[in-house]
Amino acid sequence: MLEIKNLFYKNILKNINLTINDGSFTLLAGKNGSGKSCLLRCIQGLYKYKGEVIYHDKGTIISAKEKSWDVTGLVFQDAQMQIVGQTVAKDLAFGLEMKHYDKQLIKTKVQETLKSFSIENLKDRAPSTLSGGEKRKVAIADIMIMKPKVLLLDEPFANLDYDGVKNILKLIVSLHKEGHTIFLVTHEIEKVLALADNLIILEDGKIIKQGLVKDLYNKIPWEEIGLRIRGPLEDQSWLEE
Amino acid sequence: MTEIFSYRNKNTFLHRLNPIIKLILMLSIAFIPWYFTFPVLVLSALIIRLPIIKYLKNLIFFFILAILIYFSTGWQSSMKFITIILSGLILTDTTEPMDLAKSLEPVLGRTFSLLVQLTLAMLPIVFKTCETVRLTRKARGERFIGLSYLEMILSVLLDKSDEITLAYKTRNVHY
């Protein structure tokens, strides 16, 4: 379980308190400039914040400030920025090389990840030649290969076409079904609301609502907080098409 | 058009050879007479099937330089120059830049090697930014590239550099 206590960052984030349970799918929503991406970067330890981010691992407490790379893995909105290797396979290996893993172990883990993300066909491709959706998939695989306890996703559907969105969403759902903890930021909440367990609404750097999606759905004045919901919550048919 | 001085993924003896050895061999060319090294390089180019024909358009600049050297200092210097260019083509054709940077780790240290690797990884972002800036300015009617073009690229890249630093940190880069 990841716990965030009294987190402050400059004038952007104000007294953030929240808990992310293991295996949960949490959706963080809010208008542009509400501090969503900033909160993800604080959790990942990229920004110096005031407060605590701790992970409870079967009785052991790990401070994310000290070991953020073991606790969380953040996928940026612009996938290209996180890509380092000259081929997809080498890019996957990069994070593990930084952790000084054994070469043979890296090779095995890269093979496993290529297979589990169904990107074996991209193995020898240069990342610069991939489509937007493929790059996003590789960026998620890059982070997941390092086995973070919580996967943080910043606007994973940005700049993707319909099929790209569908493929990435299917991937996120399958990761969640495998038991991974997902913490996703988007302002396109309609696409994921029905799939998430928990919902957090951020406004001007403060959490204004948090709880189970099914409990909050009918209580939130969506239009008032600048978010639009058109279809019914249960409607996931477009994902199955 | 095929880019010169770029890596091609093949499985030849030269591709598999340790990048450091290739770099040492290339540097040694400067000290060995060209008539010893040139035939070896031509043979190597044939073995790896270096696409010289495809490179011709890009190589014109070097041919002109070789002719100028011929007229100014003689054919010996001109051949030495051609030998050096050919060795550079073979090295870049058979060695992935990232592998070269990694192989420099024992010599130059981990931090420096990583610095080279990350700089190389940033190149596609730099090229993409340059192209985007050029096209956006063209779309607004600009016909000639001036100094302001460079200023704009620099400004966009500086904005991106913070973002890139954070992105690399998520990939376990702690230097």
Side-chain angles (χ1 to χ4, degrees), chain A residues 41 46-47 69 74 76 80-84 86 90-91 94-95 97-100 142-143 146, chain B residues 96-99 102 110 114 117-118 121 125 160 163-164 166-174:
Chain A
R41 288 169 186 211
L46 298 175
Y47 290 166
W69 283 268
L74 169 64
F76 272 51
Q80 175 70 52
M81 290 209 182
Q82 275 179 300
I83 292 171
V84 179
Q86 292 214 328
K90 286 184 180 177
D91 191 50
F94 181 80
E97 282 169 4
M98 291 297 104
K99 279 188 164 183
H100 308 284
D142 281 339
I143 296 299
M146 295 192 284
Chain B
E96 204 175 327
M98 212 62 105
D99 287 343
K102 272 184 199 170
R110 184 169 174 75
L114 192 64
Q117 284 180 57
L118 295 181
I125 299 171
K160 280 197 173 184
E163 194 77 1
I164 293 168
L166 293 177
Y168 284 169
K169 279 187 177 177
T170 63
R171 304 291 312 275
N172 270 328
V173 179
H174 306 289

Side-chain angles (χ1 to χ4, degrees), chain A residues 62-72:
Chain A
I62 309 168
S63 167
K65 257 183 188 167
E66 288 150 25
K67 286 191 163 187
S68 63
W69 283 268
D70 291 335
V71 176
T72 52

